[in-house]
Amino acid sequence: IKVVRDNDIMINEKIFKSYDIRGIYPAEITGETACIVGKALAKMFEAKKMAVGRDARLGSPELYEGLVRGLISQGVEVYDLGLVPIEAMYFAVGKYGYDGGVMVTASHNPKEYAGLKVVRKGVQMVRGKEILEYIHQNDTSEVRPPREVEPHAGKVIQKEIKNEHIEHILSFINTGALKPLKVVVDAGNGMAGQVVPILKQKLPFHIIEMNFEPDGNFPVHPSNPLEPESQKGIIEKVLEEKADMGVIFDGDADRMFFVDEKGRFLGSDPTICMLGRMMLSKYPGAGIAFSAECGRIVPEKIKEWGGKPIRTPVGFVNVSDGMRREGGVMGGEYSAHYSFKDNFYADSGFIAFLLIAELVSKTGEPFSEMVKEFEVYAREPQLNLTIQNIPAVLGALKEEYNNGELDELDGVRVEYPDWWFIVRGSNTEPLLRVNIEADTKELLAEKKKEMLDFIRSITEN
């Protein structure tokens, strides 16, 4: 904990993460914290105009109020987008050329969390650690007087963005190719419920709504679609309704997973492959970015289709950076963020959803058949282990598996001819994330037991 030179207010440095700002509300993050961040961002960006959106989490109203107070104290013109998915904030910053934008959200974290995600002009992601460094080095207490020549300086302006944002989403697809698919959509009491009712008026789909009422308590299931209890309801609904597909979003709607017509919850690798193929048909030879946790099928297919695989560290910030740096037109993460060059290099669950729905419409095949070609390897869902000394475990794994091909782009990844694993510390939660993939289910089961036994032996000693 550090004393900041802003009326000696204490802030908890651990909330400033590799990607964003996130902590337990109100124990670790409060409106006063957000106010300091608002002042810092105004100065950091030399901002005149910024967009601010928020989710329905319990701490979001207080953080929003504090953030805006900090911004307008520095003479910033704040465009209030209201309750929106995070990609609406990205769209506003990209479309209107604002100096930056902030979404008040803790994404998929449990309900006790609150946070802030930040972009600067051009929708370039800003890391929490960058902001902390700026606060360390600069005085955030000074109040900048509003600029007299600009009438709205230091004020809040309500900005309705939803309809324009939806038109932007629809520009990525051929609506004429869409068929009247039956689609179950689970908004998870998050921000997808703010967009899908408007979107469905412009689509031929029969959409069955689940949990569309925004509620920061997440009363039905956790905000994280990867939690098994989050998946149960949509799987049952898809089967009950005999739907063509199901779609589930996280709290701020930037992560999106599919369920096929057989009720199987699909990992993100097939989705990245399908989207990558669509993008490469439009941009031959272009780069497709993917995070370090993705399976072997992703780079194999990108190469097969003449594209350039761009492997990045985990995190939407890193995927977006990799796309910009290496000529990527699309990027995907194992955690189901899907980014597009034509979407200001930002992620969009809605664009990904509609592109895949267009593909299903065009092929006329059941969704389960379409993904088969991308399910050639054996893989289980990511394991999340609560471990105290993560660096020690990573070091021990490196030593134990020193006969494989080591890659330390993000955590420890070791490749063997017939299997591989990646183990890394989470950047958003106090967890060790373990991913294993093998050529066969039998080998996967064997290696999973072997690795977990080894990790257990390290942590117990």
Side-chain angles (χ1 to χ4, degrees), residues 352-405:
F353 159 41
L354 292 186
L355 283 170
I356 297 297
E358 181 183 343
L359 196 60
V360 173
S361 296
K362 284 177 175 175
T363 62
E365 285 186 323
F367 198 13
S368 60
E369 289 298 312
M370 288 173 51
V371 301
K372 272 185 179 174
E373 68 171 298
F374 311 116
E375 296 179 327
V376 296
Y377 298 108
R379 185 168 187 174
E380 287 191 3
Q382 176 174 268
L383 302 166
N384 295 296
L385 312 176
T386 303
I387 302 285
Q388 293 308 313
N389 194 346
I390 288 174
V393 173
L394 295 179
L397 284 165
K398 217 161 80 171
E399 195 173 318
E400 176 72 8
Y401 293 94
N402 61 11
N403 59 340
E405 186 181 329

Side-chain angles (χ1 to χ4, degrees), residues 425-461:
S426 168
N427 284 304
T428 57
E429 298 170 88
L431 298 169
L432 186 74
R433 302 206 191 278
V434 180
N435 285 277
I436 311 169
E437 184 177 82
D439 286 0
T440 65
K441 288 181 180 177
E442 293 75 21
L443 183 61
L444 176 65
E446 176 193 324
K447 293 301 178 183
K448 176 184 171 183
K449 182 180 186 307
E450 175 189 300
M451 281 196 66
L452 290 179
D453 286 348
F454 179 74
I455 291 170
R456 201 171 292 117
S457 73
I458 295 298
T459 54
E460 287 173 357
N461 291 336

Side-chain angles (χ1 to χ4, degrees), residues 158-178:
Q158 305 302 314
K159 179 72 175 175
E160 175 53 58
I161 202 79
K162 285 174 187 166
N163 289 327
E164 280 183 275
H165 177 223
I166 282 167
E167 290 307 315
H168 171 69
I169 292 166
L170 292 172
S171 72
F172 282 77
I173 60 163
N174 174 10
T175 52
L178 299 178

Side-chain angles (χ1 to χ4, degrees), residues 109-123:
N109 276 46
K111 69 176 185 178
E112 58 267 24
Y113 281 80
L116 306 166
K117 289 186 182 178
V118 181
V119 295
R120 53 165 51 92
K121 194 178 181 73
V123 200

Side-chain angles (χ1 to χ4, degrees), residues 10 24 79 141 174 177 201 268 276 292 348 394 415 419 422 432:
M10 307 279 281
I24 294 170
Y79 287 83
S141 61
N174 174 10
Q201 295 170 18
S268 54
S348 169
L394 295 179
E415 295 259 359
W419 77 289
I422 181 170
L432 186 74

